[in-house]
Amino acid sequence: MKKKKGSVLIFFMMCILWLTACQPEETQSSPSEKEKAPKKDMMVKILPAEGFIENVGWMSSSEILSVREEDGVTSFYIYNVYDGSNQKIYDVQPSYVSASISPDKKKILIHSSPASYTAQLTIIDRSGEVQFQKDVPSYDLTHSWNPFNDDTLLMTTFNEDWSFQVFEINIGDGTMDPIDVEEPFVQWQSASSVLYQDWSKDEVSVSAPLVAQNILDGEKEMIMEDSIHFNQFNDSLLSVFSQEEKGPFTFQFIHSNGEVQSEFTVDLLSRYSDWLIPYYDMIEGTGRLITFVANEPGSFDTYSGTFSLKEWDTNSGEEKVLFDDLPLEPIKCSPDGESCLYGNQLEKVINLKNSSIVQLLKKEEGADI
């Protein structure tokens, strides 16, 4: 019996030693470690230049939505910029106007125009399944996704005389109901309230009070007395204003509780009837705003100076220069904050970690891109 017990003990100790020896290997292959594994280098020139229309934005930190024309049809592709894989998800007839991606990256709004003064609104999911579609009379339109409710968005339709109507679209219900708002350019402040600038009907101005309105009961509240530009993010509200007529201008970030998070002061370039707000993008969840800043004051129409690309940390108030001389072009950053699509067709990518820029379009023989 003692011999049997000794054998069992030796066997038990050998099992412990075997499990201990295997443990490092299991730790290396655990899912959490795989998620933290560094990405491969981003692939360059993965998009065919022929028929290319534009890149719309990021579907994830590694995927972008790309639009191109193929045989008279506008096609939507999701490309992985790290391994080059792609998938066509949807086609529309050659009346494409624009597209945008929802804040949760799960839906795509496509604006097409099948006939004069008619807009077709189509909302699809990542697989290309239609979630909502409607034709509306419209000379032009604008929209605003609701970051507080992924199933709703605001849509403003304009007539040729620029009269307008604001609608609330509920994707799940398939409804598009008019709401009573005095201004056309509105954004969501919460799941049930909107923000807009209350422009004077009697005089021309470059700034206006920033007002919040509850769309359920119509109740209004003044948020800022004077603002030339605003943008509601998930975690903060940006309002741009100046104490002096010609600047400098303050970019103020306000927390949802009303407290000021941080402020940055810059000179803006003047235009005929307003001030140029350079392209920027907020990396949600991090408080990092990537923005262009003019390196000299002046008028945009005659400006020959350069632009810097800067990163503002809206939580700490810290600022750093990413590039000190870069052409002013649209920019959209990935959810993980490592890269930004850049260019008039978002055809390039800026790597924010090593300050490099790569071209996504394949250069055709004898062509310059």
Side-chain angles (χ1 to χ4, degrees), residues 213-268:
Q213 178 180 328
N214 189 306
I215 61 174
L216 301 179
D217 58 19
E219 185 177 344
K220 300 177 184 177
E221 176 190 3
M222 183 181 293
I223 305 299
M224 298 283 293
E225 291 186 6
D226 208 34
S227 180
I228 69 166
H229 174 81
F230 75 98
N231 202 337
Q232 177 68 61
F233 304 115
N234 288 354
D235 302 322
S236 64
L237 168 67
L238 164 64
S239 178
V240 182
F241 61 90
S242 176
Q243 303 293 348
E244 305 293 334
E245 183 178 349
K246 295 185 177 181
F249 292 85
T250 299
F251 282 61
Q252 186 177 83
F253 296 87
I254 306 167
H255 194 270
S256 57
N257 62 11
E259 295 182 359
V260 175
Q261 282 184 215
S262 57
E263 295 180 344
F264 300 86
T265 301
V266 299
D267 288 314
L268 295 179

Side-chain angles (χ1 to χ4, degrees), residues 185-197:
F185 300 104
V186 291
Q187 294 182 31
W188 293 97
Q189 183 198 34
S190 69
S192 59
S193 61
V194 298
L195 289 167
Y196 59 86
Q197 288 170 283

Side-chain angles (χ1 to χ4, degrees), residues 20 42 52 61 64 69 85 90 116 125 142 153 177 179 181 199 203 207 220 248 259 272 279 289 294-295 309:
T20 304
M42 186 173 294
F52 176 77
S61 292
I64 62 173
E69 186 177 340
S85 62
Y90 197 71
S116 297
D125 62 17
T142 184
L153 64 156
D177 298 323
I179 61 174
V181 182
W199 296 99
E203 59 181 5
S207 62
K220 300 177 184 177
E259 295 182 359
Y272 176 73
Y279 296 114
L289 187 94
N295 291 327
L309 185 66

Side-chain angles (χ1 to χ4, degrees), residues 262-291:
S262 57
E263 295 180 344
F264 300 86
T265 301
V266 299
D267 288 314
L268 295 179
L269 300 179
S270 63
R271 295 192 293 195
Y272 176 73
S273 60
D274 62 0
W275 297 90
L276 173 73
I277 303 295
Y279 296 114
Y280 66 81
D281 195 25
M282 173 67 81
I283 303 171
E284 296 285 7
T286 69
R288 294 161 56 206
L289 187 94
I290 308 300
T291 183

Side-chain angles (χ1 to χ4, degrees), residues 49-60:
E50 184 177 359
F52 176 77
I53 297 175
E54 65 176 343
N55 292 324
V56 177
W58 297 89
M59 297 297 296
S60 70

